[in-house]
Amino acid sequence: MNIIVTLPVDKAHREKFETLMPEAQFTYTDKKNVTQAQVAEAEIILGNLPAALLPGAKKLKWLQLNSAGAENYTKPGVLPAGVMLTNASGAYGLAISEHMLAMLLCQMKKLPLYLENQKNGTWQDEGRVCSIYGSHTLVVGMGDIGGEFAKRMHAMGSCVKGIRRSPAAAPEYLEGMYQMDALNDLLPEADIVAICLPGTAQTAGLFDAKRMEKMKRGAVLINVGRGNIVDTKALCEALKTGRLSAACLDVTDPEPLPAEHPFWQIPGAMITPHIAGGYHLQATLDRILEICARN
């Protein structure tokens, strides 16, 4: 059996994989250097590949992604018929929820303003700040990432409600669990709205100008789902007018965000270049490799 591994594995990880499947032939590479000929012979692929290579994977039985999002691989014609597709959901909650919390606290405590003052040698009081304690948080998308963020907000004294696409009981750290049809009713009471949804046809444009008008004045919007879930132009306007006090984004639309895009200069916007997940935290890679081994 031919197995391609595009993940950055060390010696211990290789030994673990090869012990689990001693009959297999492993090829360790990365997604930039893998060849069409290698893909054509692969029966198992561990890690993401350019989707354009996969229609030629005629022997493929299973593709294990290193990402939680799978939208690039579920489009018609990308995978040959009968291929099993699994993702890395469950690996990213720790890293991304902490990134969300860091961005939120930066904005609530006005740290970007103080950092700019520091660069300019300016000793200046920037005024009142906000607290997570006593706030109301709405988490839209209660998977691994949303759940981990909800736990942290609850632990810091926020009243947290969650929205998910299918019915489920509310865990003890939530004040309530709702479905998407409750979104408009819950937005006006939330001080913090965290978007943790996957990118699908149903979520594209979900937060448009009308929906942002329903949000509490001065609320903070966090998006770690997909950039196209939020209407970028409408978000710029909401920040300019003060409808929203801040936006914490690890994803944008378009992506990468062009250097000349006005959103870079919008007051209240904090942008990171889709790096909250990845392998920046070693624990994330360890979790992905454990998912691969278990599967």
Side-chain angles (χ1 to χ4, degrees):
M1 180 170 286
N2 290 309
I3 301 177
I4 294 177
V5 181
T6 68
L7 299 160
V9 293
D10 59 21
K11 182 180 178 182
H13 293 129
R14 293 187 184 198
E15 289 176 352
K16 183 170 185 176
F17 286 159
E18 290 165 15
T19 299
L20 286 168
M21 295 196 69
E23 73 280 14
Q25 176 66 45
F26 285 84
T27 299
Y28 299 97
T29 181
D30 61 63
K31 64 181 182 180
K32 292 181 180 179
N33 294 319
V34 68
T35 68
Q36 185 69 73
Q38 289 172 325
V39 173
E41 294 299 317
E43 294 166 84
I44 294 175
I45 298 173
L46 303 181
N48 292 25
L49 287 181
L53 291 177
L54 291 168
K58 301 303 182 184
K59 297 182 181 180
L60 189 63
K61 296 182 174 68
W62 170 39
L63 171 61
Q64 167 68 59
L65 301 178
N66 56 259
S67 61
E71 62 268 26
N72 290 336
Y73 303 92
T74 57
K75 297 173 183 176
V78 173
L79 290 176
V83 174
M84 180 169 61
L85 177 66
T86 55
N87 68 0
S89 181
Y92 291 96
L94 172 62
I96 296 181
S97 64
E98 287 188 350
H99 188 92
M100 295 165 72
L101 189 58
M103 294 181 84
L104 176 62
L105 283 169
C106 277
Q107 294 289 60
M108 295 181 87
K109 304 305 179 184
K110 297 184 176 178
L111 297 189
L113 292 177
Y114 287 109
L115 182 59
E116 192 62 30
N117 291 347
Q118 179 181 331
K119 290 178 182 177
N120 298 326
T122 302
W123 186 277
Q124 179 173 304
D125 189 328
E126 294 294 348
R128 295 170 66 88
V129 297
C130 302
S131 177
I132 289 175
Y133 184 85
S135 67
H136 289 262
T137 300
L138 178 63
V139 181
V140 187
M142 283 296 298
D144 174 51
I145 295 166
E148 290 296 317
F149 181 67
K151 289 177 188 176
R152 284 156 178 75
M153 294 298 286
H154 170 76
M156 295 185 72
S158 184
C159 173
V160 187
K161 294 179 180 178
I163 289 180
R164 54 176 292 150
R165 288 170 290 178
S166 55
E172 52 87 21
Y173 53 84
L174 288 186
E175 292 296 316
M177 182 77 86
Y178 304 84
Q179 291 180 260
M180 292 300 295
D181 58 2
L183 178 59
N184 288 345
D185 294 331
L186 295 173
L187 282 175
E189 66 185 46
D191 302 293
I192 300 119
V193 177
I195 303 170
C196 307
L197 293 166
T200 67
Q202 290 72 40
T203 62
L206 184 67
F207 277 77
D208 56 11
K210 289 183 178 179
R211 196 146 269 142
M212 279 182 248
E213 277 296 315
K214 296 181 182 297
M215 292 177 65
K216 186 175 185 179
R217 188 164 189 85
V220 178
L221 180 68
I222 305 172
N223 187 13
V224 295
R226 286 294 181 267
N228 69 354
I229 297 173
V230 176
D231 183 322
T232 302
K233 184 178 179 180
L235 180 56
C236 286
E237 191 62 25
L239 290 168
K240 284 180 181 178
T241 62
R243 160 61 59 183
L244 301 182
S245 65
C248 305
L249 309 175
D250 187 51
V251 290
T252 61
D253 184 27
E255 197 173 294
L257 194 66
E260 66 277 7
H261 198 286
F263 199 60
W264 287 111
Q265 308 304 325
I266 296 289
M270 178 175 282
I271 303 166
T272 53
H274 207 150
I275 47 76
Y279 307 138
H280 297 86
L281 185 68
Q282 179 62 38
T284 303
L285 178 57
D286 292 340
R287 290 179 179 195
I288 292 169
L289 293 170
E290 183 56 38
I291 290 169
C292 290
R294 185 170 66 244
N295 285 348

